[in-house]
Structure formats: structure tokens, C-alpha cells
């Protein structure tokens, strides 16, 4: 049998009704559709991030800001600090902007087009929220869905060119009703059975419709050759005095914009190889941390100031015993751990 719309959606929804993952942002089978705020928040957090990493952040955010109006009223620096460690910080800045826009409108828009107009909401998130929270028929394609569809229809064309065909096939098999459940069922299938390595085809509800099942499905979707990421160098400064460390607030735009951090040499601005000279003083190299961003690898030397010189940048002394609460992004958490271990 080949995969056509009706058998795929019927078989998959039947499987989903007994195998759906229980996730804090989902409604259980038979319950009313979930709160759009929770769906939107979870979808923004899940971009490029695993379910396991998102769960504690989702709990923290919904506990602290139970409604979109609460989030809209929160100071941006508090939201940024609460987001620290989740990465891709532009998401947090857009989260605050979108929450304010929704609070002004009075509620979330219930169409894909309306949702897409919100800051930080792209095609995928708009489709997911429209389908899951508002029951609209929308074509939802994330990385899990991409993998399942490429295998189901044995799409041999490499990514990213294959995305057009994958989307068209997903459109073909998306049902008119329960499109949100269908999208979540595809995600669950991709995450639990149709996995990147060793897909569990014997347990798959779509096995007898899958074109790739007997044709080495693991190789699909075909990935483009990976380009090596450029490696950039930088320095961060550990200035410690009387049980406290000097922290700054980064400018609102650019890498890690708006986040609290150690002072540094603005490695994020040195595309041309130039670097800001270090703060004057006698420096000692404590060690190097490495951090992988989407487009580059950063090797950051952590330097400690020996003298009692006053830091020149605006900032604040932050007590070392509450450093975990400073909301440092992962890169600077690594640098702080290195400094504290020396
Ligand atoms: S049969 Fe195997 S390859 Fe095909 S969709 Fe199911 S798990 Fe994926």
C-alpha cells in the first residue's frame, strides 16, 4: 500500500489515541483544546531545543507568569534571566514583544496569518498554534515530521531542497479535522519510533504504507554535506572582590543581547578580526571554554584581574553565593564555573 491521505491520518490518529506522549502543554484525549498561551510558549521554547530541556523552563514560566497578560507585564530583564540556559536568546526578546502585542489585542489571533504577524512567530509556530490550540487545518512541519514524511514517501532529494516536496506531501495527508492531533501524532511518531537512528518500523502504525521501510530508512531525509563552523576567539574577564564578581548587562541587540554576563572583549562584534582592548590591569589566564553557537564555535579565554582596579564598564557586584540566580547564559556559566574552580 502507498501512503495516501486517509489511511495515513486514520491509522496514525488511532495510534495517537493510545500512545500520545503526556506533555504539560498538551490537552489529554477528550479534553478541551489547550490554552493558546501554553501552546505558543511551548512551541517557542521547543524551537531547536529538546522536550527534556524545555519541561523545567515551561514549568517555571507558567508558574511565574500563568497568563499571557502576566508575561506581558513582566520586566524584560526578568524574562531574559528566567530564559538563561535555554539558548537562542532572541526567542526570549521576541516572547516579551509578542506577549505585549497579544495583551494589547486582548487575545491570541486564531488564524495562521494573524499568528504569523506576532514577533518571533514563523511559519512553523503559526501553523502549530493554529492547529493545536484553535483546531484549524494547518500544515505543521518540524524536524520530526520532516523525517517521517521523507521516509513515508521515500523522498530521495537532499535537504533543504526536499522541503517543498515534504510540505506538499504533509499537506496531502493532513486531515480536515483533528489537524492539531495529527501534527502532534506525527511529532510523537518521529520522536518515539521513526527516530534518526534505528527506526522501530516493526512497531510503526504506518509500516505497511511506508515506501522507505525496506529501503534503509535511516539514510532519509538526505542531509546536505556539513560545513565546518568558523572558530572565533574571545576573552571574558573575571573580576572578583570581597566575595562578589563584576557582571554587566549586554546591549539589547546582537549575540546574547540583553543578557547579564561577564565583561568581555566583544568577540561578538569582531567579524573583521578586530577586538576591543581588554580592561587595563594585570591579567592572568585562568583557562579556555568552548561553546558551539548555530553559526560559529567560540573559544573564550577566561582572564582574572589581579589588581584592585575599578572595572570601567557599567555593571554590578554580584555575590558569588547567589551566582546561579544571575541568569547567565550557558557560555558565561561555563566561564564562571572555570573561574570558580581555579
Ligand atoms: S515504517 Fe519505519 S521508516 Fe517508515 S514511517 Fe514507520 S518508523 Fe518510519
Amino acid at each position: 500500500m502507498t501512503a495516501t491521505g486517509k489511511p495515513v491520518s486514520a491509522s496514525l490518529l488511532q495510534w495517537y489515541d493510545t500512545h500520545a506522549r503526556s506533555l504539560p502543554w498538551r490537552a489529554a484525549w477528550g479534553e478541551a483544546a489547550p490554552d493558546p498561551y501554553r501552546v505558543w510558549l511551548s512551541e517557542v521554547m521547543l524551537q531547536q531545543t529538546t522536550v527534556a530541556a524545555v519541561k523545567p523552563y515551561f514549568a517555571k514560566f507558567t508558574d511565574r507568569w500563568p497568563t499571557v497578560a502576566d508575561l506581558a507585564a513582566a520586566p524584560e530583564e526578568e524574562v531574559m534571566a528566567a530564559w538563561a540556559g535555554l539558548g537562542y536568546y532572541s526567542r526570549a526578546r521576541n516572547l516579551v514583544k509578542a506577549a505585549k502585542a497579544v495583551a494589547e489585542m486582548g487575545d491570541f489571533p486564531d488564524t495562521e496569518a494573524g499568528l504569523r504577524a506576532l514577533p518571533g512567530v514563523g511559519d512553523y509556530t503559526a501553523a502549530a498554534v493554529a492547529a493545536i490550540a484553535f483546531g484549524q487545518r494547518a500544515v505543521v512541519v518540524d524536524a520530526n515530521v520532516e523525517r517521517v514524511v521523507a521516509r513515508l514517501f521515500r523522498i530521495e532529494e537532499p535537504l533543504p531542497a526536499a522541503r517543498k516536496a515534504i510540505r506538499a506531501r504533509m499537506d496531502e495527508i493532513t486531515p480536515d479535522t483533528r489537524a492539531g492531533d495529527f501534527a502532534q501524532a506525527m511529532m510523537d511518531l518521529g520522536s518515539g519510533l521513526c527516530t534518526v537512528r534505528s527506526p522501530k518500523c516493526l512497531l510503526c502504525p504506518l509500516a505497511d504504507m511506508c515506501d522507505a521501510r525496506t529501503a534503509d530508512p535511516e539514510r532519509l531525509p538526505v542531509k546536505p554535506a556539513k560545513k565546518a563552523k568558523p572558530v572565533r576567539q574571545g576573552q571574558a574577564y573575571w573580576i572578583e572582590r570581597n566575595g562578589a564578581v563584576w557582571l554587566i548587562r549586554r546591549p539589547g541587540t546582537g549575540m546574547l543581547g540583553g543578557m547579564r554576563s561577564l565583561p568581555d572583549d566583544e568577540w561578538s562584534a569582531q567579524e573583521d578580526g578586530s577586538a576591543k582592548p581588554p580592561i587595563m590591569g594585570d591579567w592572568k589566564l585562568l583557562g579556555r571554554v568552548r561553546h558551539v553557537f548555530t553559526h560559529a564555535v567560540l573559544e573564550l579565554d577566561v582572564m582574572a584581574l589581579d589588581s584592585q582596579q575599578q572595572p570601567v564598564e557599567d555593571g554590578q557586584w554580584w555575590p558569588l553565593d547567589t551566582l546561579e540566580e544571575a541568569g547567565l547564559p550557558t557560555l558565561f556559566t561555563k566561564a564562571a564555573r572555570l573561574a570558580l574552580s581555579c
Side-chain angles (χ1 to χ4, degrees):
M1 201 191 299
T2 53
T4 55
K6 211 161 174 201
V8 170
S9 62
S11 303
L12 193 63
L13 285 168
Q14 196 177 24
W15 172 83
Y16 183 70
D17 289 343
T18 49
H19 291 84
R21 283 179 292 177
S22 170
L23 297 171
W25 45 85
R26 279 190 181 173
W29 170 231
E31 282 180 1
D35 179 356
Y37 169 58
R38 295 170 71 86
V39 177
W40 162 73
L41 182 61
S42 67
E43 290 298 344
V44 173
M45 288 183 166
L46 285 164
Q47 290 162 16
Q48 326 264 1
T49 313
T50 63
V51 166
V54 164
K55 276 182 176 175
Y57 283 88
F58 182 81
K60 176 166 65 174
F61 268 66
T62 49
D63 193 41
R64 196 153 163 194
W65 302 295
T67 67
V68 70
D70 296 323
L71 185 62
E76 184 180 296
E77 58 271 22
E78 270 184 36
V79 178
M80 299 302 289
W83 192 275
L86 204 51
Y88 302 97
Y89 294 94
S90 59
R91 292 184 297 173
R93 285 193 296 276
N94 281 328
L95 198 73
V96 176
K97 285 186 203 150
K100 288 186 195 310
V102 171
E104 255 172 46
M105 284 185 259
D107 212 342
F108 276 90
D110 62 0
T111 62
E112 263 187 276
L115 288 158
R116 212 181 291 116
L118 295 174
V121 175
D123 291 347
Y124 165 75
T125 307
V129 177
I132 297 168
F134 295 110
Q136 309 268 345
R137 186 190 181 280
V139 180
V140 184
V141 184
D142 73 351
N144 279 318
V145 174
E146 203 165 81
R147 186 167 60 255
V148 175
V149 173
R151 290 173 179 177
L152 203 52
F153 293 95
R154 199 171 160 180
I155 295 172
E156 302 276 356
E157 192 181 9
L159 291 172
R163 292 212 166 100
K164 201 171 166 207
I166 290 172
R167 194 187 153 75
R169 289 298 199 173
M170 183 63 178
D171 194 0
E172 229 171 74
I173 60 176
T174 298
D176 291 337
T177 55
R178 296 190 69 190
D181 283 350
F182 180 73
Q184 292 178 104
M186 288 288 277
M187 293 173 198
D188 285 11
L189 188 75
S191 123
L193 298 183
C194 197
T195 43
V196 176
R197 303 264 165 267
S198 309
K200 300 168 191 68
C201 301
L202 288 175
L203 300 174
C204 178
L206 306 181
D208 63 350
M209 300 168 225
C210 178
D211 293 341
R213 185 173 61 95
T214 55
D216 188 13
E218 211 175 276
R219 75 201 157 78
L220 296 175
V222 180
K223 298 265 171 56
K226 266 195 180 168
K227 280 194 215 143
K229 293 186 181 191
V231 178
R232 294 167 66 178
Q233 319 287 335
Q235 289 186 342
Y237 306 113
W238 181 263
I239 307 167
E240 184 181 326
R241 195 173 301 165
N242 303 327
V245 62
W246 188 252
L247 297 184
I248 59 154
R249 171 86 55 196
R250 304 180 73 76
T253 53
M255 296 281 279
L256 310 178
M259 302 295 293
R260 204 172 273 130
S261 78
L262 299 177
D264 64 14
D265 65 347
E266 293 177 10
W267 47 269
S268 55
Q270 52 177 313
E271 297 285 358
D272 62 352
S274 65
K276 188 176 84 170
I279 303 164
M280 295 300 288
D282 299 325
W283 295 95
K284 184 174 83 170
L285 176 65
L286 296 178
R288 173 175 284 187
V289 294
R290 200 166 188 274
H291 191 72
V292 180
F293 290 104
T294 323
H295 303 297
V297 174
L298 175 68
E299 292 178 343
L300 192 70
D301 286 342
V302 183
M303 315 290 289
L305 183 63
D306 279 341
S307 75
Q308 287 296 300
Q309 189 178 320
Q310 189 62 29
V312 292
E313 286 183 272
D314 283 345
Q316 67 185 118
W317 290 110
W318 192 281
L320 291 176
D321 54 6
T322 60
L323 197 52
E324 292 292 335
E325 291 154 33
L328 295 178
T330 306
L331 166 66
F332 290 100
T333 301
K334 286 183 193 171
R337 284 198 186 125
L338 173 81
L340 290 169
S341 70
C342 290

